[in-house]
């Protein structure tokens, strides 16, 4: 069940300010906004900063759209961990009479779901998900493994809220490492300091924390505890609105989960390990506007230079 | 009913070439591909070219995500004209037992649609759709109306095919004019020559044609004929694969349809007229690779310069 999460007073008031300033425009659905020119300018400037930070490892660009084959969601285990966050794509099946009946109900804003049937597509819940089966299809990994770049991919999480940092559809930029255990762990350690440095250079008040994903139900609480114990996820948090900081970047180490799931093997024929470094681009942008004010022209010149804002 | 449309021999063979060259990567669902680095580089270069072509009219950026409020689809009339192309977003409702039952079915790739319920969201079928209600919410238009820019928005059309030019999810860039009838018609005339010039400068073999949208059913055939008779839509077509050229850009004049639908009024209190100039960015990119070869470095220097490809 995807419940509405009301934002705090500070969060709702920040959202109002963003809308009044034309940085975001409401659509009528909580957590779905249009981005204004200044917001997008900053988001893309941050995206380019990530590109520059990752350039030394020459990741291969593999840019997936927000639609994922349903079969991959079924195979990945996502529905066990996060059934409440998934979005599936349905479409019309029927003849002209059915289309006419559907239209009549829809025009009256009544229930027309009976005419809609599950397709072979779902919404992508994370930018890196489609990369693992795509990599597996190429056969065993090259020596040294692979480093991939998702670009600024749209992802969907069904969690309506009036907290502007909790969007249902947003851009996630991920750099993904696929290889043997040692390679992935070493890479993850490097990105831990690199990501922290990158976000600190934007003069955000940062906290680093071991974290867990919002797993569903009672079993989920056990999975979350296990994830924390093994330090499989860490997050970088920054103030957006209110007292509690918001996670704006995170890194997951999946061990050999995707390696086993998709039969993705290293050059030595072992199940591959995978890790990812993810930036929530809208959240970073919200943290920047929160830290430096709603007018980009008034931001500290050091931050503007770092982002190459013109 | 959304039927699979097999691509022609030439189309399927062009898709194979694109995949072999790493320009596109298959996902397992027809018409859903990942874009490789070189493909994306060209797509974004073309997107910037449109930005430069539109700069003189300083359109206001209003960048919507690929999710649209369901209510807007119900109100817009889209389900009357294109029920077969629409995608709706469903999500899980239920307790832990239901989640566990759903997971069991999904893991076996059996039917788990019974656990999914219609949400208040659908997939955006066109980049300009959310702009009209957003503009209406601001009240009457300013004198002279509004010019808006959708950015490179993802849109969804449920039409699986092995023709690479027929994607189910792709980027549509639209410039949108909202105002009185004369303003919109004059603007549309200007863009007709501007768009043609812009695409010709990329050395594409262009055709301009009066066109119609793929309306559904028997009534749809009448609507299509009417649209042609009144010249409400024109398209620019270029070769992609095979003998028949593909529409890569189009312009629609909606008369006062959206003005009346969303109570969107001119400064004089009349229902606003609207028109849009749309570029199918993946199709333009496919036409460019088809015309100039799969290696961007070998393209004519005139085309590279026009696109500012480095």
């Amino acid at each position: 069940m995807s419940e509405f999460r009301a934002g705090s007073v500070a969060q709702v008031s920040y959202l109002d300010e963003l809308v009044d300033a034309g940085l975001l425009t409401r659509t009528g659905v909580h957590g779905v906004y249009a981005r204004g020119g200044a917001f997008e300018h900053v988001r893309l400037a941050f995206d380019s900063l990530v590109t520059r930070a990752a350039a030394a490892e020459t990741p291969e660009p593999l840019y997936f759209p927000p639609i994922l084959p349903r079969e991959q969601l079924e195979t990945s285990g996502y529905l066990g961990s996060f059934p409440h966050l998934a979005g599936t794509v349905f479409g019309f099946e029927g003849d002209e009479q059915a289309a006419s009946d559907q239209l009549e109900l829809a025009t009256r804003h009544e229930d027309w779901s009976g005419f809609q049937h599950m397709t072979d597509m779902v919404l992508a819940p994370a930018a890196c998900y489609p990369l693992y089966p795509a990599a597996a299809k190429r056969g065993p990994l090259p020596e040294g493994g692979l480093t991939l770049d998702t670009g600024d991919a749209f992802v969907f999480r069904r969690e309506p809220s009036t907290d502007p940092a909790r969007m249902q559809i947003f851009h996630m930029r991920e750099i993904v490492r696929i290889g043997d255990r040692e390679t992935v762990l070493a890479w993850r350690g490097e990105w831990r300091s690199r990501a922290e440095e990158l976000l600190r250079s934007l003069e955000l008040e940062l906290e680093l924390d071991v974290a867990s994903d919002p797993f569903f139900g009672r079993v989920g609480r056990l999975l979350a505890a296990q994830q924390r114990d093994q330090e499989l996820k860490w997050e970088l948090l920054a103030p957006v609105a209110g007292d509690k900081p918001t996670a704006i970047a995170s890194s997951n180490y999946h061990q050999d989960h995707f390696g086993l799931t998709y039969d993705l093997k290293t050059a030595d024929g072992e199940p591959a390990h995978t890790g990812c470094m993810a930036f929530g681009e809208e959240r970073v942008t919200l943290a920047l506007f929160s830290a430096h004010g709603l007018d980009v022209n008034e931001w500290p010149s050091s931050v503007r230079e770092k982002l190459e804002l013109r």
Side-chain angles (χ1 to χ4, degrees), chain A:
Chain A
M1 184 86 73
S2 184
E3 273 160 31
F4 172 70
R5 290 164 64 151
S8 68
V9 173
Q11 289 163 345
V12 171
S13 136
Y14 184 42
L15 176 56
D16 285 342
E17 284 174 47
L18 292 159
V19 170
D20 290 346
L23 291 166
L24 295 178
T25 294
R26 289 190 176 88
T27 63
V29 170
H30 293 304
V32 181
Y33 310 100
R35 306 170 317 280
F39 190 97
E40 188 70 352
H41 193 53
V42 171
R43 184 185 73 76
L44 291 175
F46 175 73
D47 189 64
S48 296
L49 182 62
V50 175
T51 301
R52 295 195 293 279
E57 42 184 335
T58 57
E60 178 191 332
L62 202 49
Y63 299 149
F64 281 88
I67 294 288
L68 196 75
R70 170 162 55 81
E71 201 197 4
Q72 285 181 19
L73 197 79
E74 292 168 349
T75 302
S76 69
Y78 189 84
L79 289 168
S81 302
F82 314 107
H84 53 307
L85 299 181
T88 52
V89 178
F90 277 52
F92 173 73
E93 302 283 347
D95 58 13
E96 292 192 39
Q97 183 58 50
S100 158
D101 294 345
Q102 170 179 271
L103 176 65
E104 203 180 314
L105 287 168
T107 304
R108 294 201 302 254
H109 304 298
E110 291 176 9
D111 180 4
W112 48 286
S113 63
F115 296 97
Q116 296 285 306
H117 298 267
M118 197 175 233
T119 70
D120 55 354
M121 295 172 275
V122 300
L123 291 165
C128 65
Y129 267 55
L131 299 182
Y132 308 113
K137 259 190 231 160
R138 298 182 185 177
L141 293 170
E143 282 293 340
L146 267 182
T147 309
L148 300 172
D149 179 352
T150 66
D152 59 335
F154 263 120
V155 299
F156 178 86
R157 305 269 171 94
R158 195 180 165 218
E159 39 183 356
S161 175
T162 40
D163 171 5
R166 195 165 292 281
M167 296 188 183
Q168 300 201 71
I169 178 124
F170 57 93
H171 292 91
M172 187 185 286
R173 171 78 183 267
E174 294 195 52
I175 312 293
V176 175
R177 192 72 174 98
I178 308 178
D180 59 28
R181 185 174 182 279
E182 291 65 36
T183 304
V184 173
L185 283 174
W187 175 87
R188 203 168 165 249
E190 283 164 32
W191 262 105
R192 187 160 163 155
S193 34
R194 195 186 298 164
E196 192 175 346
E197 199 180 305
L198 183 149
L199 292 165
R200 265 197 217 292
S201 76
L202 302 176
E203 299 174 28
L204 296 174
E205 261 177 59
L206 272 197
E207 283 173 40
L208 190 135
D209 204 3
V210 170
S212 62
D213 285 310
F215 291 102
F216 178 77
R218 278 164 305 176
V219 178
R221 282 193 286 280
L222 292 175
L223 288 170
Q226 200 180 339
Q227 193 183 26
R228 266 178 194 281
D229 286 350
Q230 301 182 38
E231 301 200 8
L232 299 180
K233 185 188 187 77
W234 55 258
E235 289 177 341
L236 285 162
L237 303 96
V240 171
D243 299 333
K244 255 186 79 185
T246 299
I248 59 174
S250 69
S251 172
N252 275 300
Y253 170 45
H254 319 107
Q255 299 169 308
D256 56 4
H257 171 72
F258 289 114
L260 293 170
T261 301
Y262 295 112
D263 199 25
L264 173 56
K265 294 217 163 78
T266 65
D268 297 341
E270 296 295 313
H273 285 236
T274 61
C276 61
M277 177 69 235
F279 297 91
E281 295 195 333
E282 276 80 355
R283 286 190 172 183
V284 170
T285 307
L286 290 169
L288 286 166
F289 278 112
S290 174
H292 306 309
L294 299 187
D295 183 352
V296 183
N297 300 309
E298 302 290 317
W299 287 10
S301 59
S302 48
V303 174
R304 291 181 53 85
E305 274 163 34
K306 187 78 195 170
L307 287 168
E308 299 185 358
L309 285 173
R310 261 152 265 162

